Amino acid sequence: MTHASGRHFLQIPGPTNVPDRVLRAIDQPTIDHRGPEFAALGLEILGELPKIFQTEHPVIIYPSSGTGAWEAALVNALSPGDRVLMCETGQFAVLWQQLAARLGFDTQVLPTDWRHGADPEVIEAALTDDSAHAIKAVCIVHNETSTGVASRIGKIRKAIDRAQHPALFLVDTISSLASIDYRMDEWGVDVTVAGSQKGLMLPPGLAFNAVSDKAVAASRSASTPKSYWSWDDVLAANKSGFFPYTPATNLLYGLSESIRMLLEEGLDNVFARHDRHAAATRLAVGTWGLEVLCLNPDEHSSSLTAVLMPEGHDADSFRAVVLEAFDMSLGTGLGRLAGKVFRIGHLGSFNDLMLAGTLAGVEMGLARAGVPHERGGVAAALDWLADSSPERANG
Ligand SMILES: *Cc1c(COP(=O)(O)O)cnc(C)c1O
């Protein structure tokens, strides 16, 4: 490999670009995780982190990838053989379902065309049909990272309430937390699953379960074997700022800084920034004459945009050209979308000029790879960004 000058553009929908403030925060000596200095760090983070989830409830932190937090949510909340209602919105929903099935849970899957989110009415009907209340949990991926479609969690909560069903509500926010408005308490979510490497702007390696009182109560009678993932052990140690095993100390330094950055910017401004960059990206895609995968305007993801390749053109060949020519990584098509879509990540530590560079790389890449398109997508996005203030996007 020869040295590539300048900064690599990491425009996949996670892991995302880690800002310098977070890198500097992580670059400290590791301390004794049983000592007083650590307790102060632990208590500070555990006190502030729930604000990012818009919850008053505790957030459990694991040294893990997001997949671990999927497993933690299920093994704590459920008993062997329990039925879970899941919605196949895309590849991440498929992976969560496969994980649940491997663990021995009885998964009832509601299909979609992978171009729409989870349908509140379909969920309501499935729950209404379940008059015996065999379904113990409804599991939804908020932002389906494989498709760029965001399900409407508040509306799904209302559907569960209309069906008067007691199931727990489990939501994967791995690619939406700190990017797309997410209100755990207002939407009555019982377990929020999250990870460090997307909207939180950290390297991979931390994962989260935010847990409601109802979820903690359910875990006390749930009989699935668990040890490493046990909420009880973590919650007990967290009271004094500690963890039951060695935490990822340096990532926690980074987490403390990323929470500070998000609260300095203000969550509403963070969400408006993501909405605005997503809108500008869709404008560019439309101007190129290409198609966004998401079909419902109410469900466009603000974290990423999945773009369909024209017939006869391979998305991964195009991505390889962009990487080679412009040192930019775009997201690959996952599962049944392999080769058919590429994904533009516009989440995390990101601003107008980074978006401009990203879209320029895509437009130049389309030309270089011989993909039929109209020019002018970047220009259209720049005009729109110049005219639209973040405040306006907020209002
Ligand atoms: C990235 C992602 C995951 C997987 O997280 P890992 O850290 O790779 O285990 C799960 N769900 C969603 C929605 C994601 O975006």
Side-chain angles (χ1 to χ4, degrees):
M1 293 282 278
T2 55
H3 169 69
S5 180
R7 273 218 174 185
H8 176 71
F9 269 61
L10 182 67
Q11 297 318 134
I12 60 176
T16 64
N17 295 288
V18 180
D20 290 345
R21 271 178 66 175
V22 169
L23 290 173
R24 297 293 88 81
I26 289 171
D27 181 15
Q28 305 292 328
T30 298
I31 54 172
D32 172 10
H33 64 289
R34 312 251 184 235
E37 201 185 333
F38 186 90
L41 173 73
L43 288 173
E44 178 220 305
I45 290 173
L46 294 166
E48 295 292 292
L49 184 55
K51 293 178 187 168
I52 308 299
F53 291 73
Q54 303 196 56
T55 183
E56 304 278 322
H57 296 294
V59 182
I60 288 159
I61 308 173
Y62 297 108
S64 150
S65 85
T67 301
W70 269 343
E71 179 159 337
L74 299 174
V75 298
N76 278 280
L78 301 169
S79 296
D82 274 358
R83 184 173 305 164
V84 291
L85 184 68
M86 303 181 119
C87 189
E88 195 197 296
T89 45
Q91 183 63 12
F92 285 99
V94 167
L95 292 173
W96 199 8
Q97 182 271 326
Q98 287 173 350
L99 181 150
R102 281 185 188 173
L103 289 168
F105 300 112
D106 173 15
T107 60
Q108 178 180 339
V109 181
L110 303 172
T112 76
D113 61 359
W114 286 35
R115 301 189 72 175
H116 293 84
D119 185 335
E121 285 175 22
V122 174
I123 292 168
E124 181 181 350
L127 292 174
T128 304
D129 275 352
D130 178 41
S131 51
H133 295 167
I135 295 169
K136 299 302 177 199
V138 177
C139 301
I140 301 294
V141 175
H142 181 200
N143 184 66
E144 185 39 89
T145 322
S146 63
T147 63
V149 180
S151 289
R152 292 159 295 169
I153 300 301
K155 291 204 156 58
I156 296 171
R157 171 76 259 170
K158 291 207 172 97
I160 299 171
D161 291 345
R162 278 195 304 273
Q164 299 188 323
H165 199 289
L168 293 165
F169 191 19
L170 278 49
V171 179
D172 169 347
T173 65
I174 295 179
S175 65
S176 54
L177 190 81
S179 304
I180 300 174
D181 194 6
Y182 175 74
R183 309 174 185 185
M184 169 151 172
D185 287 1
E186 188 181 321
W187 296 340
V189 177
D190 294 299
V191 186
T192 303
V193 172
S196 57
Q197 75 272 30
K198 301 188 186 180
L200 287 176
M201 311 178 284
L202 294 165
L206 294 179
F208 310 93
N209 276 180
V211 291
S212 74
D213 293 343
K214 183 176 164 186
V216 173
S219 76
R220 302 247 149 93
S221 58
S223 58
T224 305
K226 57 192 174 284
S227 176
Y228 183 78
W229 302 118
S230 170
W231 291 342
D232 264 355
D233 294 348
V234 182
L235 290 172
N238 278 178
K239 285 204 173 77
S240 47
F242 294 110
F243 289 82
Y245 36 68
T246 314
T249 310
N250 291 62
L251 287 176
L252 295 177
Y253 293 146
L255 177 59
S256 162
E257 188 67 14
S258 85
I259 295 169
R260 200 168 301 124
M261 290 167 71
L262 289 165
L263 296 179
E264 273 173 24
E265 184 176 355
L267 281 186
D268 286 346
N269 294 325
V270 169
F271 301 144
R273 168 165 59 80
H274 284 80
D275 292 345
R276 186 162 169 274
H277 290 153
T281 300
R282 290 193 298 272
L283 186 59
V285 173
T287 307
W288 292 325
L290 301 180
E291 199 183 339
V292 170
L293 187 65
C294 176
L295 287 176
N296 181 353
D298 293 335
E299 296 178 324
H300 281 308
S301 168
S302 290
S303 303
L304 75 136
T305 301
V307 183
L308 274 165
M309 282 305 270
E311 204 65 52
H313 292 267
D314 179 61
D316 288 336
S317 310
F318 163 68
R319 290 176 48 254
V321 167
V322 171
L323 179 62
E324 166 70 25
F326 307 114
D327 198 21
M328 176 162 74
S329 297
L330 295 169
T332 187
L334 296 173
R336 70 157 93 140
L337 295 171
K340 296 194 171 68
V341 306
F342 66 91
R343 296 171 301 144
I344 304 170
H346 34 69
L347 74 163
S349 176
F350 203 58
N351 63 21
D352 286 11
L353 294 188
M354 292 166 84
L355 178 66
T358 300
L359 296 177
V362 174
E363 186 163 324
M364 290 190 289
L366 291 169
R368 191 176 279 236
V371 178
H373 69 287
E374 304 293 325
R375 301 219 164 213
V378 174
L382 296 191
D383 285 347
W384 188 86
L385 287 171
D387 289 346
S388 79
S389 68
E391 288 75 25
R392 232 184 287 169
N394 217 351

PDB file of all heavy atoms in Angstrom, residues 220-232:
ATOM      1  N   ARG A 220     -35.906 -10.285  36.461  1.00  0.00           N
ATOM      2  CA  ARG A 220     -35.778 -10.952  37.768  1.00  0.00           C
ATOM      3  C   ARG A 220     -36.486 -12.304  37.764  1.00  0.00           C
ATOM      4  O   ARG A 220     -36.137 -13.198  38.529  1.00  0.00           O
ATOM      5  CB  ARG A 220     -36.344 -10.054  38.879  1.00  0.00           C
ATOM      6  CG  ARG A 220     -35.653  -8.693  38.935  1.00  0.00           C
ATOM      7  CD  ARG A 220     -34.817  -8.477  40.194  1.00  0.00           C
ATOM      8  NE  ARG A 220     -33.667  -7.609  39.947  1.00  0.00           N
ATOM      9  CZ  ARG A 220     -33.645  -6.281  40.132  1.00  0.00           C
ATOM     10  NH1 ARG A 220     -34.708  -5.661  40.593  1.00  0.00           N
ATOM     11  NH2 ARG A 220     -32.551  -5.598  39.877  1.00  0.00           N
ATOM     12  N   SER A 221     -37.514 -12.459  36.889  1.00  0.00           N
ATOM     13  CA  SER A 221     -38.193 -13.757  36.839  1.00  0.00           C
ATOM     14  C   SER A 221     -37.860 -14.543  35.573  1.00  0.00           C
ATOM     15  O   SER A 221     -38.257 -15.695  35.432  1.00  0.00           O
ATOM     16  CB  SER A 221     -39.712 -13.568  36.962  1.00  0.00           C
ATOM     17  OG  SER A 221     -40.156 -12.725  35.935  1.00  0.00           O
ATOM     18  N   ALA A 222     -37.112 -13.923  34.640  1.00  0.00           N
ATOM     19  CA  ALA A 222     -36.758 -14.625  33.401  1.00  0.00           C
ATOM     20  C   ALA A 222     -35.695 -15.681  33.698  1.00  0.00           C
ATOM     21  O   ALA A 222     -34.803 -15.449  34.503  1.00  0.00           O
ATOM     22  CB  ALA A 222     -36.242 -13.628  32.368  1.00  0.00           C
ATOM     23  N   SER A 223     -35.810 -16.839  33.006  1.00  0.00           N
ATOM     24  CA  SER A 223     -34.959 -17.968  33.405  1.00  0.00           C
ATOM     25  C   SER A 223     -33.909 -18.367  32.366  1.00  0.00           C
ATOM     26  O   SER A 223     -33.294 -19.410  32.478  1.00  0.00           O
ATOM     27  CB  SER A 223     -35.839 -19.174  33.735  1.00  0.00           C
ATOM     28  OG  SER A 223     -36.615 -19.505  32.608  1.00  0.00           O
ATOM     29  N   THR A 224     -33.688 -17.533  31.329  1.00  0.00           N
ATOM     30  CA  THR A 224     -32.608 -17.860  30.393  1.00  0.00           C
ATOM     31  C   THR A 224     -31.261 -17.739  31.128  1.00  0.00           C
ATOM     32  O   THR A 224     -31.033 -16.740  31.814  1.00  0.00           O
ATOM     33  CB  THR A 224     -32.623 -16.888  29.187  1.00  0.00           C
ATOM     34  OG1 THR A 224     -33.911 -16.931  28.591  1.00  0.00           O
ATOM     35  CG2 THR A 224     -31.564 -17.265  28.170  1.00  0.00           C
ATOM     36  N   PRO A 225     -30.386 -18.748  31.000  1.00  0.00           N
ATOM     37  CA  PRO A 225     -29.079 -18.641  31.663  1.00  0.00           C
ATOM     38  C   PRO A 225     -28.304 -17.441  31.121  1.00  0.00           C
ATOM     39  O   PRO A 225     -28.323 -17.181  29.925  1.00  0.00           O
ATOM     40  CB  PRO A 225     -28.367 -19.943  31.294  1.00  0.00           C
ATOM     41  CG  PRO A 225     -29.428 -20.864  30.822  1.00  0.00           C
ATOM     42  CD  PRO A 225     -30.521 -20.020  30.265  1.00  0.00           C
ATOM     43  N   LYS A 226     -27.646 -16.734  31.999  1.00  0.00           N
ATOM     44  CA  LYS A 226     -26.833 -15.583  31.602  1.00  0.00           C
ATOM     45  C   LYS A 226     -25.796 -15.350  32.682  1.00  0.00           C
ATOM     46  O   LYS A 226     -26.018 -15.674  33.850  1.00  0.00           O
ATOM     47  CB  LYS A 226     -27.687 -14.329  31.427  1.00  0.00           C
ATOM     48  CG  LYS A 226     -28.473 -13.982  32.683  1.00  0.00           C
ATOM     49  CD  LYS A 226     -29.519 -12.939  32.422  1.00  0.00           C
ATOM     50  CE  LYS A 226     -30.402 -12.713  33.639  1.00  0.00           C
ATOM     51  NZ  LYS A 226     -31.390 -13.804  33.822  1.00  0.00           N
ATOM     52  N   SER A 227     -24.651 -14.841  32.277  1.00  0.00           N
ATOM     53  CA  SER A 227     -23.625 -14.541  33.274  1.00  0.00           C
ATOM     54  C   SER A 227     -22.945 -13.226  32.913  1.00  0.00           C
ATOM     55  O   SER A 227     -23.173 -12.207  33.552  1.00  0.00           O
ATOM     56  CB  SER A 227     -22.616 -15.692  33.343  1.00  0.00           C
ATOM     57  OG  SER A 227     -21.594 -15.365  34.227  1.00  0.00           O
ATOM     58  N   TYR A 228     -22.161 -13.257  31.844  1.00  0.00           N
ATOM     59  CA  TYR A 228     -21.452 -12.037  31.416  1.00  0.00           C
ATOM     60  C   TYR A 228     -22.438 -10.892  31.168  1.00  0.00           C
ATOM     61  O   TYR A 228     -22.154  -9.735  31.458  1.00  0.00           O
ATOM     62  CB  TYR A 228     -20.676 -12.351  30.137  1.00  0.00           C
ATOM     63  CG  TYR A 228     -19.824 -11.242  29.582  1.00  0.00           C
ATOM     64  CD1 TYR A 228     -18.595 -10.929  30.136  1.00  0.00           C
ATOM     65  CD2 TYR A 228     -20.243 -10.504  28.468  1.00  0.00           C
ATOM     66  CE1 TYR A 228     -17.793  -9.929  29.611  1.00  0.00           C
ATOM     67  CE2 TYR A 228     -19.463  -9.503  27.932  1.00  0.00           C
ATOM     68  CZ  TYR A 228     -18.235  -9.216  28.509  1.00  0.00           C
ATOM     69  OH  TYR A 228     -17.447  -8.228  27.973  1.00  0.00           O
ATOM     70  N   TRP A 229     -23.607 -11.229  30.604  1.00  0.00           N
ATOM     71  CA  TRP A 229     -24.558 -10.200  30.199  1.00  0.00           C
ATOM     72  C   TRP A 229     -25.507  -9.779  31.322  1.00  0.00           C
ATOM     73  O   TRP A 229     -26.359  -8.926  31.103  1.00  0.00           O
ATOM     74  CB  TRP A 229     -25.408 -10.691  29.017  1.00  0.00           C
ATOM     75  CG  TRP A 229     -24.630 -11.090  27.813  1.00  0.00           C
ATOM     76  CD1 TRP A 229     -24.573 -12.322  27.236  1.00  0.00           C
ATOM     77  CD2 TRP A 229     -23.799 -10.243  26.998  1.00  0.00           C
ATOM     78  NE1 TRP A 229     -23.762 -12.305  26.136  1.00  0.00           N
ATOM     79  CE2 TRP A 229     -23.275 -11.048  25.965  1.00  0.00           C
ATOM     80  CE3 TRP A 229     -23.448  -8.889  27.048  1.00  0.00           C
ATOM     81  CZ2 TRP A 229     -22.413 -10.535  24.993  1.00  0.00           C
ATOM     82  CZ3 TRP A 229     -22.590  -8.390  26.080  1.00  0.00           C
ATOM     83  CH2 TRP A 229     -22.089  -9.204  25.073  1.00  0.00           C
ATOM     84  N   SER A 230     -25.415 -10.396  32.491  1.00  0.00           N
ATOM     85  CA  SER A 230     -26.416 -10.173  33.539  1.00  0.00           C
ATOM     86  C   SER A 230     -26.563  -8.686  33.919  1.00  0.00           C
ATOM     87  O   SER A 230     -25.618  -8.053  34.386  1.00  0.00           O
ATOM     88  CB  SER A 230     -26.016 -10.978  34.782  1.00  0.00           C
ATOM     89  OG  SER A 230     -26.831 -10.587  35.866  1.00  0.00           O
ATOM     90  N   TRP A 231     -27.776  -8.150  33.685  1.00  0.00           N
ATOM     91  CA  TRP A 231     -28.028  -6.751  34.075  1.00  0.00           C
ATOM     92  C   TRP A 231     -27.810  -6.555  35.562  1.00  0.00           C
ATOM     93  O   TRP A 231     -27.247  -5.552  35.983  1.00  0.00           O
ATOM     94  CB  TRP A 231     -29.479  -6.362  33.755  1.00  0.00           C
ATOM     95  CG  TRP A 231     -29.813  -6.251  32.312  1.00  0.00           C
ATOM     96  CD1 TRP A 231     -28.954  -6.114  31.254  1.00  0.00           C
ATOM     97  CD2 TRP A 231     -31.137  -6.250  31.771  1.00  0.00           C
ATOM     98  NE1 TRP A 231     -29.664  -6.025  30.084  1.00  0.00           N
ATOM     99  CE2 TRP A 231     -31.009  -6.097  30.369  1.00  0.00           C
ATOM    100  CE3 TRP A 231     -32.421  -6.344  32.316  1.00  0.00           C
ATOM    101  CZ2 TRP A 231     -32.112  -6.055  29.527  1.00  0.00           C
ATOM    102  CZ3 TRP A 231     -33.526  -6.294  31.486  1.00  0.00           C
ATOM    103  CH2 TRP A 231     -33.372  -6.151  30.094  1.00  0.00           C
ATOM    104  N   ASP A 232     -28.295  -7.506  36.364  1.00  0.00           N
ATOM    105  CA  ASP A 232     -28.241  -7.358  37.823  1.00  0.00           C
ATOM    106  C   ASP A 232     -26.831  -7.091  38.323  1.00  0.00           C
ATOM    107  O   ASP A 232     -26.611  -6.220  39.165  1.00  0.00           O
ATOM    108  CB  ASP A 232     -28.763  -8.639  38.496  1.00  0.00           C
ATOM    109  CG  ASP A 232     -30.231  -8.504  38.867  1.00  0.00           C
ATOM    110  OD1 ASP A 232     -30.771  -7.384  38.685  1.00  0.00           O
ATOM    111  OD2 ASP A 232     -30.825  -9.494  39.326  1.00  0.00           O
TER     112      ASP A 232
END
